[in-house]
Amino acid sequence: MRYKKSKELFVKGSKHMVGAVNSPVRAFNTVGGNPIFIEKGKGAYLTDVDGNKYVDYVLSYGPMLLGHANEQVKTEVKLALEDSFSFGASTEKEIELAELICSAFPNMDKVRMVNSGTEAVMSAIRLARAYTGKNQIIKFAGCYHGHADMLLVAAGSGLVTGSLPGSKGVPKDTVSNTLIANFNDIESVKKIISNNNNIAGIIVEPVAGNMGCVLPKDDFLVELRKIASENGILLIIDEVMTGFRDSFGGAQKAFGVEADITCLGKVIGGGFPVGAYGAREEIMQMVAPLGDMYQAGTLSGNPIAMTAGISMLKQLKEENVYEKTNQYVNKLSNFMLDSAKKHHIDITVNTFGSMITPFFTSQPVTNFDEAKASDQTKFTKFFWSLMNNGIYIAPSPFEAWFVSSKHGNKELDLTYKAIDKAFSGLS
Ligand code: KE4
């Protein structure tokens, strides 16, 4: 694959952009080389500015569940554009998307639209603090919830102590109320709770997608629900990535647990900037203009973004895309394991609905330490072999692959061939 034009744009882009990207993961830092620049997408495919065509498993890190340039979304958005793009006042479209979202989350009476997953999580934490009158938040190592200061943390000296800033520019006192537990380790949560009495909320990715795809063990989420209820702590379930990922609803449905506050993003915007947070009535009543917890946004509920989100969710509600996407992932997982075995490569594959991650390790991956123990050198070689054979995955071992309703047998065959070639190159 040639990357001449991407390289030229990388140099040109680096003049006025930071690393020629608007989000760090796109910079290819983990895998080396320069980021590619995309010209267009259609269905399951991306074409870069050098004309290289790829089966796309990044799908904008999740939103493009119906594939690129979905015809229905495109038609609806084009129509909506005729009536202007933003008003700073309510529109019926916001009601329609709110109704669709609340129909998918029975424990959600009201929802507030924002413009990103980060904004949804940041607001949900403020809401948990407003509702409980407490300040501390428990999060899990390896779970990512956007770039709000209080969540950019690194593990402190011990589980029950405050965290250390995980980024320059985050003051220590901003993260002093953020405590870090271990995913799939309910005892680590109990220990923190027994040593702290000012905990407003526990925030969790119900299926982690930001350490790669990592599933909750057994009753981890159910036990988390129980311990939160017993201690007057709100359970914030961050479904920005898992929302509408394996079914028309959230991972909550798959694991039989209900959040107090749910955060959403990605799919509900269909590729346009949309995030949302929602909860039962008594919690959402706290939010301005009804309550005293302030949160606002110029472009929140933007009518064009709402149009795209409505079209996405209506299509997802009416057609059962999940049978197809989840089956595709199962086939892909089985092939990866068979091919790795044939080539004597150690891998573990985790899947959830239409998302999948292969880890280069012979061990199960159930938390961040185990994910980090996978062979990242092998991942990098694997990544470039796939790229050179027309398969585009996230340039990081700690991301999930996403499958859309437009990924079919042809794409599966192309992927099989590329994976087998990559594994043969690794063995
Ligand atoms: P955004 O602010 O990027 O819309 O959402 C933040 C966020 C919140 N919660 C979860 C579970 C998320 O996965 C994300 C964002 N996911 C990353 C992908 N790992 C976005 C990609 C990027 O940062 O460019």
Side-chain angles (χ1 to χ4, degrees):
M1 294 283 188
R2 292 176 311 106
Y3 303 115
K4 183 172 178 295
K5 182 75 185 292
S6 275
K7 285 195 175 94
E8 286 167 5
L9 289 178
F10 174 73
V11 171
K12 185 178 178 188
S14 297
K15 191 165 184 302
H16 297 297
M17 289 166 62
V18 179
V21 295
N22 280 306
S23 197
V25 70
R26 306 175 191 172
F28 278 39
N29 285 352
T30 308
V31 296
N34 295 328
I36 56 168
F37 285 70
I38 301 302
E39 179 151 281
K40 60 185 174 183
K42 183 65 188 160
Y45 293 89
L46 283 181
T47 304
D48 71 17
V49 293
D50 289 290
N52 301 309
K53 193 172 178 183
Y54 309 90
V55 177
D56 181 19
Y57 288 100
V58 177
L59 294 177
S60 182
Y61 290 94
M64 312 315 280
L65 178 58
L66 293 177
H68 287 289
N70 174 274
E71 287 304 327
Q72 190 59 31
V73 173
K74 194 164 55 171
T75 303
E76 303 275 356
V77 165
K78 279 181 177 174
L79 267 177
L81 288 169
E82 294 299 323
D83 299 334
S84 191
F85 320 137
S86 183
F87 308 111
S90 293
T91 64
E92 190 174 359
K93 291 181 191 290
E94 293 158 84
I95 300 172
E96 194 172 352
L97 187 54
E99 287 173 341
L100 276 165
I101 290 172
C102 290
S103 76
F105 289 85
N107 50 320
M108 198 187 285
D109 295 327
K110 282 191 166 73
V111 62
R112 169 59 63 86
M113 305 295 175
V114 292
N115 300 283
S116 71
T118 293
E119 215 184 330
V121 168
M122 183 174 73
S123 309
I125 286 175
R126 187 181 307 142
L127 178 55
R129 288 171 164 164
Y131 181 79
T132 63
K134 300 174 186 171
N135 294 330
Q136 292 174 314
I137 294 289
I138 296 175
K139 79 172 291 286
F140 294 90
C143 285
Y144 173 72
H145 304 284
H147 63 87
D149 273 3
M150 82 290 269
L151 290 168
L152 290 182
V153 293
S157 53
L159 274 180
V160 297
T161 55
S163 311
L164 299 173
S167 162
K168 289 276 187 214
V170 173
K172 191 165 177 1
D173 56 14
T174 309
V175 297
S176 59
N177 283 316
T178 309
L179 304 166
I180 302 179
N182 293 322
F183 193 74
N184 276 324
D185 174 0
I186 201 68
E187 291 310 315
S188 70
V189 182
K190 287 178 180 171
K191 191 168 181 181
I192 290 175
I193 291 174
S194 63
N195 285 280
N196 293 275
N197 60 6
N198 187 16
I199 302 171
I202 298 171
I203 184 164
V204 68
E205 289 183 67
V207 171
N210 290 286
M211 38 178 134
C213 179
V214 177
L215 279 295
K217 272 186 203 165
D218 314 326
D219 287 342
F220 176 64
L221 294 175
V222 172
E223 287 186 36
L224 212 48
R225 173 67 277 170
K226 182 167 172 286
I227 199 171
S229 302
E230 286 167 353
N231 291 277
I233 297 171
L234 293 191
L235 182 58
I236 304 168
I237 297 190
D238 179 350
E239 299 237 36
V240 168
M241 189 180 285
T242 53
F244 303 97
R245 190 65 56 202
D246 90 308
S247 69
F248 187 76
Q252 299 173 52
K253 190 161 60 172
F255 295 97
V257 69
E258 286 199 352
D260 292 304
I261 305 174
T262 298
C263 301
L264 294 167
K266 297 183 192 274
V267 170
I268 65 167
F272 288 77
V274 180
Y277 63 98
R280 59 183 181 273
E281 187 86 36
E282 60 161 345
I283 296 176
M284 292 305 281
Q285 296 290 75
M286 298 289 304
V287 179
L290 299 183
D292 298 330
M293 177 230 140
Y294 192 73
Q295 179 268 313
T298 302
L299 295 174
S300 297
N302 172 274
I304 308 303
M306 295 296 102
T307 302
I310 292 162
S311 181
M312 278 291 281
L313 295 198
K314 272 185 170 173
Q315 291 183 67
L316 291 172
K317 195 165 189 173
E318 284 151 18
E319 304 154 31
N320 185 2
V321 300
Y322 297 106
E323 199 174 322
K324 180 180 179 192
T325 56
N326 302 2
Q327 193 180 62
Y328 186 106
V329 163
N330 289 336
K331 287 179 182 171
L332 184 54
S333 172
N334 291 335
F335 180 84
M336 283 177 177
L337 292 166
D338 292 346
S339 177
K341 192 172 178 187
K342 182 175 82 176
H343 295 289
H344 310 294
I345 305 284
D346 288 335
I347 68 162
T348 285
V349 181
N350 289 347
T351 70
F352 173 67
S354 58
M355 60 196 261
I356 176 172
T357 300
F359 295 93
F360 287 95
T361 173
S362 59
Q363 302 304 309
V365 176
T366 66
N367 62 37
F368 194 33
D369 285 341
E370 291 165 0
K372 284 188 288 187
S374 64
D375 187 327
Q376 296 176 40
T377 306
K378 276 207 170 84
F379 170 81
T380 297
K381 289 178 183 160
F382 180 64
F383 171 84
W384 282 111
S385 178
L386 292 184
M387 277 287 278
N388 292 326
N389 287 281
I391 305 298
Y392 182 52
I393 68 172
S396 161
F398 306 123
E399 295 289 352
W401 300 26
F402 297 102
V403 166
S404 84
S405 58
K406 295 296 183 189
H407 286 67
N409 290 333
K410 178 168 169 273
E411 292 70 41
L412 202 52
D413 286 342
L414 287 168
T415 309
Y416 285 173
K417 287 190 180 74
I419 287 174
D420 204 59
K421 190 170 180 183
F423 282 161
S424 68
L426 287 178
S427 62

